[in-house]
Amino acid sequence: MDKHMSLDEVIAGLQAKYPEQLEVVEDSLQPAVRVKSDILLKVMQELKEEYGLDFLADLTAVDLGDEGFRAINHVMSWKPYRMLRVEVDVPKNRPRVPSLTDLWAAANVQEREAFDMFGIIYEGHPKLTRILLSDNFEGYPLRKDFKITSRRK
């Protein structure tokens, strides 16, 4: 594949290959696709190796309330500069998504942070432990249902 394709061409190629498992996020200010969890690793590997989007710029999540979570990954290339957001819906009752640590070492810390804040399990992560909060902290502070309790006695 041509690593200098436009993002529109990259997205069109992915849509053709995964018509039932990938959709374009239409209401976005930046190019974005939403993929099913079971093809995330394949798509991310293709973006890195075939399309030249080889820099993991960001990995995070958002709590959508009753709808669950959305895992969000930004991948980019420097020359030519391009950035694509890749989203995955994650069910609230089984918050699991594949780890990207085998593709990008930088995913290690970012997945631990999302685990710590949201409780999302990154399957295949080499050491998914808390990174910001103490091991005995209860709950996940960036979840919408997290209740803040007073520390004062």
Side-chain angles (χ1 to χ4, degrees):
M1 295 262 165
D2 179 5
K3 292 186 178 185
H4 297 284
M5 296 171 78
S6 72
L7 282 178
D8 288 338
E9 293 171 309
V10 171
I11 292 168
L14 292 172
Q15 276 185 299
K17 190 168 185 178
Y18 306 105
E20 302 296 319
Q21 299 162 305
L22 180 141
E23 66 178 291
V24 176
V25 179
E26 298 291 344
D27 58 345
S28 176
L29 296 176
Q30 85 177 128
V33 295
R34 190 166 301 134
V35 301
K36 303 285 185 197
S37 181
D38 59 334
I39 67 160
L40 175 66
L41 288 177
K42 283 190 238 176
V43 168
M44 296 302 271
Q45 186 168 7
E46 286 180 42
L47 288 170
K48 181 179 183 179
E49 295 174 2
E50 296 179 29
Y51 295 109
L53 293 156
D54 58 359
F55 183 75
L56 180 66
D58 184 45
L59 184 153
T60 190
V62 293
D63 186 341
L64 302 172
D66 293 337
E67 297 174 44
F69 304 99
R70 184 159 293 143
I72 300 172
N73 309 283
H74 289 95
V75 291
M76 63 179 283
S77 67
W78 292 104
K79 291 184 181 181
Y81 175 79
R82 300 172 296 168
M83 183 179 284
L84 178 67
R85 187 175 72 235
V86 180
E87 303 176 349
V88 180
D89 286 336
V90 181
K92 194 165 215 112
N93 63 345
R94 191 177 187 282
R96 298 181 176 280
V97 68
S99 173
L100 300 179
T101 55
D102 285 343
L103 292 171
W104 287 283
N108 187 315
V109 170
Q110 295 176 65
E111 288 176 354
R112 287 180 63 197
E113 182 178 317
F115 164 71
D116 207 0
M117 296 289 110
F118 294 98
I120 296 172
I121 306 296
Y122 288 87
E123 294 180 320
H125 190 284
K127 188 180 179 186
L128 193 61
T129 57
R130 290 201 183 262
I131 190 169
L132 300 172
L133 301 169
S134 65
D135 289 339
N136 62 351
F137 189 89
E138 293 181 21
Y140 304 100
L142 291 184
R143 284 189 176 191
K144 290 184 176 183
D145 59 2
F146 180 74
K147 302 288 186 234
I148 298 174
T149 57
S150 175
R151 292 179 183 248
R152 296 181 188 188
K153 305 241 177 189

